Amino acid sequence: RRRRGFPIGLTLALVVAFGLVACCGGFAWFGYLKPKREVAHRQEIFRDLRVPEGFTRGEPEIREGTGTLVVVYYLTCEKGVCPVTPAERIHTWLTAAGLANTTMQDVGRCLADKPDHDQSCTWTWVVEGCEVEAYLLKGTEPGEIENRQIMVHTSIHRCDR
């Protein structure tokens, strides 16, 4: 008597098809969908952080490979006179963004005209599972030596989601 069962060829075809679907699904999730979701989450955090009052925002940039979102906020002080008090505005922004344990005096010290600043002029905190980092830069506006520029360089990276 011959026993009728599931054909071996069909079984192998189903196993191979299932393996391909699982492999492609994993690739789609880890190689495409998950990074896209993480970038969208970082952009959402960026929108929630807003812009320090009196500052203008540069174009947000996504760093390839890491998905880090980088944005620079600018304040131009024409002929050395700032339209707002930079230390106060930056401190208010940092506090509203969720950073604790920093004072307006800390920010003011970072803005002081000194050649070098220590690591205390870089602030790092966590927002919705993502690390946010901000540090201050000072310089002059290109071609306008008398116009001082203050920049808050901000990046959102290393999410635990």
Side-chain angles (χ1 to χ4, degrees):
R1 251 170 121 158
R2 197 165 168 204
R3 191 172 157 207
R4 294 189 88 172
F6 210 66
I8 192 91
L10 184 57
T11 302
L12 285 174
L14 287 173
V15 167
V16 168
F18 179 76
L20 284 173
V21 167
C23 178
C24 292
F27 175 76
W29 173 251
F30 290 105
Y32 182 76
L33 297 175
K34 186 177 181 197
K36 286 267 191 209
R37 224 171 110 201
E38 289 175 357
V39 166
H41 180 61
R42 290 175 183 146
Q43 290 171 329
E44 182 182 313
I45 291 170
F46 160 70
R47 282 188 298 276
D48 291 346
L49 291 179
R50 303 184 198 253
V51 178
E53 187 180 337
F55 283 68
T56 56
R57 172 183 67 80
E59 273 305 307
E61 173 189 334
I62 300 291
R63 297 269 164 88
E64 288 296 320
T66 64
T68 297
L69 185 134
V70 177
V71 66
V72 180
Y73 304 107
Y74 300 91
L75 176 67
T76 301
C77 303
E78 293 184 22
K79 298 184 181 176
V81 178
C82 296
V84 297
T85 309
E88 181 182 324
R89 298 300 193 244
I90 293 168
H91 178 258
T92 300
W93 176 77
L94 288 168
T95 303
L99 179 68
N101 301 327
T102 215
T103 66
M104 194 166 58
Q105 290 76 20
D106 295 333
V107 178
R109 186 174 21 80
C110 293
L111 290 170
D113 289 324
K114 294 181 182 174
D116 293 312
H117 297 295
D118 58 19
Q119 289 295 336
S120 66
C121 295
T122 299
W123 298 281
T124 305
W125 68 102
V126 176
V127 176
E128 295 181 24
C130 292
E131 185 176 280
V132 179
E133 180 179 270
Y135 62 90
L136 300 179
L137 297 170
K138 295 184 313 182
T140 55
E141 198 171 315
E144 306 272 341
I145 196 73
E146 71 275 0
N147 292 342
R148 189 172 136 202
Q149 209 168 46
I150 298 170
M151 295 155 276
V152 181
H153 186 278
T154 307
S155 60
I156 303 171
H157 50 98
R158 287 194 280 273
C159 295
D160 292 335
R161 288 181 78 178

